[in-house]
Amino acid sequence: MIIAVDGPAASGKGTLARKIAAHYGLPYLDTGSLYRATARDLLVAKSDHENVNEAVRAAQNIDPDSLDDPKLREPGIGEAASLVAPIPQVRAALLQYQRRFCTGPKGAVLDGRDIGTVVCPDANVKLFIKADTKVRARRRFLELEASGLMMTEAQVLADLQKRDERDRSRHSSPLVKAVDAHLLDTTNLDIESSYKAAIELIEGVLGDGGKTD
Ligand code: DC
């Protein structure tokens, strides 16, 4: 079974996707971490998104064990990731990684921007998570504050708006809701209520046959 979870930054899709994966006993892939790891490895090589060959090399050589690196969550890496993400050859390299991941025997839960539209267009269930921009900025601000990073809420909001615009307007696999995705608005929901609503949506699509074990 494949479950696709898409949405903009800080919509809550990562937390939700992880919980959904645990609920159904499925492997989980945060596909944003692939773009972040590509950006990190490019920076380590003292290069950037303008060097397409280096960017593609970084995308082709991602070390799966490095995807939990806390450095990937830093705002600078998020910004750099949104600059490598529009490069079609980078997307093609990462598409192969994502497809290999979800062809395992159990299937998978993947979250990102183009899972329902490009990576897994035949997913059994597609969710598109949205939330008001200011609410997303507040959540991201609190996350960053808890991890000790000093940014004002206004800076976080401006960053988020810039990244949303880049993700939505890029030519290659832009952020867009798949026509057959189910919309979940988490603006007024906490994590537990969002999770409950997501499971209800999924069960509504699958009936009772969704559990893999
Ligand atoms: O979800 P995130 O903030 O970790 O994503 C980092 C960047 O990667 C974001 O700017 C958009 C890009 N991305 C993408 O283009 N496609 C995906 N499937 C996942 C992320």
Side-chain angles (χ1 to χ4, degrees):
M1 173 165 73
I2 294 184
I3 301 179
V5 184
D6 287 303
S11 55
K13 65 183 186 312
T15 309
L16 266 182
R18 206 179 292 274
K19 285 172 81 69
I20 291 167
H23 180 84
Y24 290 106
L26 294 170
Y28 164 65
L29 180 63
D30 161 10
T31 66
S33 72
L34 302 177
Y35 291 88
R36 287 171 182 264
T38 301
R40 174 203 55 200
D41 296 348
L42 252 186
L43 292 175
V44 168
K46 304 221 176 313
S47 191
D48 65 19
H49 63 280
E50 293 193 3
N51 187 336
V52 172
N53 288 339
E54 274 293 330
V56 173
R57 207 187 333 271
Q60 284 170 337
N61 288 294
I62 284 183
D63 171 6
D65 291 336
S66 78
L67 295 177
D68 286 333
D69 176 4
K71 192 172 165 47
L72 293 187
R73 307 315 310 167
E74 290 177 7
I77 298 289
E79 168 71 11
S82 86
L83 291 167
V84 295
I87 303 171
Q89 299 94 316
V90 166
R91 302 200 73 83
L94 297 181
L95 182 60
Q96 288 187 25
Y97 187 110
Q98 294 167 84
R99 290 253 168 92
R100 272 199 306 275
F101 187 89
C102 59
T103 50
K106 283 184 141 187
V109 178
L110 290 85
D111 81 68
R113 304 291 190 291
D114 60 343
I115 310 303
T117 51
V118 175
V119 179
C120 304
D122 298 326
N124 303 73
V125 188
K126 299 180 187 180
L127 300 180
F128 191 89
I129 315 300
K130 67 177 247 186
D132 177 80
T133 314
K134 286 200 174 131
V135 170
R136 289 190 285 124
R138 177 93 195 135
R139 290 176 186 161
R140 182 54 53 89
F141 169 73
L142 292 174
E143 249 173 57
L144 292 173
E145 194 180 48
S147 65
L149 285 168
M150 304 304 284
M151 274 176 92
T152 65
E153 197 166 334
Q155 282 170 327
V156 175
L157 175 64
D159 259 24
L160 213 61
Q161 285 168 326
K162 193 166 65 178
R163 284 185 47 200
D164 278 359
E165 175 55 25
R166 248 185 231 142
D167 290 343
R168 290 201 166 100
S169 63
R170 68 170 176 243
H171 189 68
S172 190
S173 309
L175 169 66
V176 61
K177 177 183 164 301
V179 282
D180 52 348
H182 298 267
L183 188 66
L184 177 57
D185 186 341
T186 68
T187 303
N188 297 310
L189 302 179
D190 61 14
I191 292 172
E192 273 315 306
S193 318
S194 304
Y195 169 57
K196 207 165 152 255
I199 296 294
E200 272 169 22
L201 276 173
I202 295 169
E203 292 296 317
V205 176
L206 298 175
D208 282 334
K211 297 240 180 198
T212 54
D213 49 8

